[in-house]
Amino acid sequence: MAVIDLYDLRASLLSDEHFTRTILFRLATFYLLWKAVATTYSVFFGPLSKFPGPRMAATTQWYRTYIELVKNVSMSTKLKELHEQYGPVVRIGPNELHFSSPTAYNAIYQQKFDKEPILYKSFGEDESSFGYLSVKEAKPRKDLLNPLFSRRETIRMQGLVQEKVDKLCKNMVKRYEEGKSCNMLMALRCAAMDVITTFCFAKSVDSLDEPDFEAPIIIAMESTLPSFLLFRHFPLIRWLVFSLPPWLTMVTAPKMKGLLDLQKMLSGQIAEVKADPSVLEKTPHRTIYHPLLQEANVSAKSLYEEGQAMLFAGTDTVSNTVMLAIFHILENPAIHKRLQEELIEFWPDLNTTPRYEELEKLPYLNAVIKESLRHTPAVAAGLLRIVGPESANIDGYEVPQGTVISMAILFMHMNKTIFRHGEKFVPEAWLEPGAKELESKLVPFSKGPRMCLGQNLAYCELYLMFANIFRRFDLTLDGTVASDLEWRECFLPWYYKRHIHCYTKPRTA
Ligand code: HEM
């Protein structure tokens, strides 16, 4: 009897197992068939089928993963190739288009389209002015912060920027006196980081005090940049990495120390201001917390993410712009000479310090800064937007609602019908009679409702950094060549080769 029972049991288990397997097999077959039909429809008959592009891109999202992670090619480099082959609009994903013609730029970015979630959520700054996906959520936050980043406030706070630039110069002198060249990328990053932490939190992380500009926070930011690509394509990995307890992160990735220290500093400060907002009365100047605490029920998470967004948005962008320009200026002795002569004439006595508003009036310095902003891929990636709530006409094409669209800034800035000198660094272009027209095509800070919040501060930093570096020093390159400046697109550019090094000989008069 017992034997029969066992036999029956085994048979019924087997048949259950068989049943489950059959169901699973059928479901999988059904899913694959459905996927094949849906993909075929989307590629050949769907609303985006009329747009040209590689067949593989129209078929699967993995096309981009393949380009970026397997072939190790920046998407912007691939896009250049694709636009040459297919024209001003290319289908680069099953649901994604990229545009390249200057008229498309405003049509995309002046509208109130949402940011695309997969890209923007990969930064872990969902509740910040940068990370909110909709204009509806971002606008009230930006309205609160705008007065702090207004031109008037930046002019009032310029002493704070000058103080960091002075410290940068002092350390550049020290380095020269030690007979060493200076890693300008690290030096400028430290300066920009100290500006932004002082400006936003009234608490500098003092990266400029670190020997040889090797500040842990800058090293940590530099080492997280390439992981952005992995996180974007595999969000689960990002989640796993960021869920690790700090001690484990320190063991597995010691380069992250600076970021962990910063997280600790910011979290501590936020806990303090949340517990007792009156501590803000004691800060030497207004910080981002002053306006943000006016937001009803603002969470500690949101305060933290806003702080982090400011650091990432305001450090590499500024420092890369100055760093790349230094290289081009030093490569072109005529530009270097003209810039220095203008600065010496305007600023004869090195014991004085000119103000930002005065420096803005110098025509050649002005032209150099515009050309630097044009030339630097400060934000290299296409800023993805989702067409909605209805379909939209972009550059003469009817684009269906829900389509992901973008136009990377460098397609505007390197367009030879507008900027005839293309990839050459030519400040003179901004002094020619037709230059006013070029200004509307200069979009380093993007356009429309999601344009950069920090552009006034950025301009103040750029003027003070350029003026002080080229007036106070005779710079020469230490072996840096153009190929050292190659970069990979990781939303921001990642300069993965030997950084630019300069000998920084101080001028005495
Ligand atoms: C040369 C320097 C800079 C350049 C070229 C630059 C460029 C940009 C660009 C292109 C965007 C649009 C990003 C997007 O749509 O996803 C942006 C957004 C932003 N930038 Fe800047 N930026 C610079 C400096 C700064 C600084 C110093 C800050 C200071 C805090 C800052 C804060 C922000 C913020 C908060 C946003 C998000 C705005 C939004 O999404 O509505 N940026 N920036």
Side-chain angles (χ1 to χ4, degrees):
M1 186 68 184
V3 173
I4 292 166
D5 275 356
L6 273 177
Y7 183 81
D8 277 356
L9 184 67
R10 188 164 166 269
S12 96
L13 278 176
L14 272 178
S15 73
D16 271 2
E17 201 179 302
H18 176 72
F19 178 75
T20 315
R21 254 197 247 148
T22 313
I23 287 283
L24 281 179
F25 179 75
R26 283 188 186 161
L27 279 176
T29 314
F30 178 75
Y31 173 78
L32 289 175
L33 271 175
W34 172 79
K35 213 47 198 152
V37 171
T39 306
T40 312
Y41 173 78
S42 155
V43 174
F44 296 102
F45 311 104
L48 296 192
S49 59
K50 60 178 187 261
F51 293 98
R55 187 64 47 81
M56 197 45 85
T59 309
T60 170
Q61 201 58 45
W62 294 105
Y63 170 78
R64 193 187 180 115
T65 314
Y66 173 72
I67 299 292
E68 294 196 308
L69 293 185
V70 181
K71 290 201 86 181
N72 259 326
V73 170
S74 290
M75 203 53 203
S76 39
T77 311
K78 184 70 192 171
L79 284 171
K80 264 189 241 164
E81 220 177 85
L82 295 178
H83 280 294
E84 271 161 29
Q85 190 178 346
Y86 295 104
V89 55
V90 184
R91 185 178 186 185
I92 54 164
N95 187 34
E96 185 175 345
L97 302 175
H98 187 271
F99 291 81
S100 70
S101 109
T103 39
Y105 197 86
N106 281 352
I108 299 173
Y109 294 101
Q110 293 285 14
Q111 311 225 28
K112 292 186 180 170
F113 294 149
D114 283 1
K115 289 188 170 184
E116 188 272 344
I118 298 177
L119 169 66
Y120 283 95
K121 281 186 180 288
S122 63
F123 298 101
E125 292 160 4
D126 302 1
E127 291 181 35
S128 70
S129 52
F130 172 77
Y132 284 127
L133 298 178
S134 69
V135 172
K136 199 171 156 218
E137 287 169 296
K139 189 175 180 307
R141 176 59 66 90
K142 288 180 84 176
D143 285 348
L144 274 180
L145 288 167
N146 264 328
L148 188 67
F149 290 95
S150 65
R151 179 170 159 82
R152 200 209 290 179
E153 191 61 9
T154 310
I155 288 176
R156 209 177 64 77
M157 301 266 279
Q158 65 180 287
L160 178 159
V161 180
Q162 183 63 50
E163 191 190 302
K164 303 300 172 197
V165 174
D166 286 342
K167 200 164 172 185
L168 165 72
C169 292
K170 203 174 118 211
N171 290 345
M172 282 164 62
V173 173
K174 194 165 152 239
R175 196 105 189 123
Y176 183 77
E177 285 170 353
E178 288 166 357
K180 297 179 196 158
S181 64
C182 190
N183 180 335
M184 289 307 291
L185 184 64
M186 292 299 279
L188 292 161
R189 288 221 167 128
C190 288
M193 170 58 75
D194 287 359
V195 168
I196 203 80
T197 46
T198 311
F199 198 94
C200 293
F201 318 122
K203 225 174 198 172
S204 171
V205 288
D206 292 333
S207 350
L208 281 165
D209 288 342
E210 299 294 335
D212 300 339
F213 301 111
E214 302 250 313
I217 176 63
I218 305 296
I219 293 171
M221 280 169 82
E222 171 102 350
S223 61
T224 46
L225 202 52
S227 9
F228 162 78
L229 282 180
L230 197 64
F231 294 163
R232 184 203 163 144
H233 291 284
F234 300 100
L236 189 65
I237 299 184
R238 181 188 181 281
W239 180 81
L240 281 172
V241 170
F242 282 82
S243 309
L244 292 179
W247 66 267
L248 194 54
T249 309
M250 269 307 290
V251 175
T252 50
K255 279 191 174 176
M256 296 296 282
K257 178 181 181 310
L259 213 53
L260 293 176
D261 289 348
L262 186 86
Q263 280 171 353
K264 213 162 128 195
M265 187 273 264
L266 280 186
S267 308
Q269 199 181 25
I270 289 164
E272 204 184 352
V273 298
K274 283 285 278 176
D276 176 14
S278 74
V279 293
L280 290 178
E281 287 161 24
K282 295 179 208 135
T283 56
H285 52 79
R286 282 175 73 74
T287 63
I288 57 165
Y289 305 124
H290 288 78
L292 290 181
L293 284 188
Q294 289 166 24
E295 203 176 271
N297 301 324
V298 64
S299 66
K301 174 177 181 287
S302 180
L303 291 175
Y304 177 81
E305 290 180 358
E306 194 63 68
Q308 184 177 295
M310 297 291 172
L311 296 181
F312 278 89
T315 305
D316 285 14
T317 45
V318 172
S319 47
N320 289 347
T321 307
V322 184
M323 178 278 288
L324 269 192
I326 288 178
F327 177 78
H328 292 297
I329 294 168
L330 298 185
E331 279 276 279
N332 291 278
I335 299 178
H336 192 186
K337 185 163 175 276
R338 189 167 172 186
L339 177 62
Q340 252 187 341
E341 281 175 359
E342 185 184 65
L343 285 168
I344 293 169
E345 192 187 335
F346 165 75
W347 179 6
D349 179 4
L350 278 176
N351 295 315
T352 61
T353 312
R355 288 180 64 80
Y356 159 48
E357 317 86 282
E358 295 165 1
L359 290 167
E360 272 183 319
K361 294 180 195 140
L362 296 183
Y364 199 66
L365 175 62
N366 210 301
V368 165
I369 289 179
K370 283 191 188 127
E371 184 64 349
S372 310
L373 285 166
R374 179 189 79 85
H375 215 272
T376 310
V379 180
L383 308 170
L384 305 188
R385 301 291 187 261
I386 300 182
V387 174
E390 284 138 21
S391 64
N393 189 298
I394 308 288
D395 201 26
Y397 299 93
E398 199 56 24
V399 180
Q401 182 258 335
T403 309
V404 178
I405 53 170
S406 69
M407 174 167 157
I409 292 171
L410 61 88
F411 283 86
M412 182 76 134
H413 288 176
M414 292 298 152
N415 187 303
K416 283 200 177 162
T417 58
I418 305 169
F419 299 101
R420 287 191 310 266
H421 51 294
E423 301 205 349
K424 292 198 190 117
F425 186 87
V426 185
E428 283 69 14
W430 297 96
L431 301 170
E432 285 170 7
K436 258 276 155 270
E437 262 179 51
L438 296 185
E439 307 224 339
S440 64
K441 305 290 187 286
L442 183 67
V443 292
F445 301 101
S446 191
K447 284 264 173 188
R450 302 311 297 267
M451 77 181 291
C452 180
L453 179 77
Q455 68 164 306
N456 292 309
L457 176 61
Y459 270 116
C460 177
E461 290 182 72
L462 294 178
Y463 276 92
L464 295 182
M465 284 183 185
F466 273 105
N468 281 271
I469 290 173
F470 284 99
R471 174 63 185 96
R472 291 183 189 277
F473 295 92
D474 284 326
L475 299 185
T476 44
L477 290 170
D478 170 20
T480 303
V481 290
S483 60
D484 289 330
L485 301 175
E486 283 167 16
W487 48 272
R488 270 303 303 280
E489 179 194 311
C490 300
F491 193 71
L492 302 176
W494 171 45
Y495 294 92
Y496 59 89
K497 291 201 162 171
R498 180 180 181 258
H499 291 165
I500 177 173
H501 281 64
C502 290
Y503 287 108
T504 51
K505 183 176 173 203
R507 292 180 61 90
T508 46

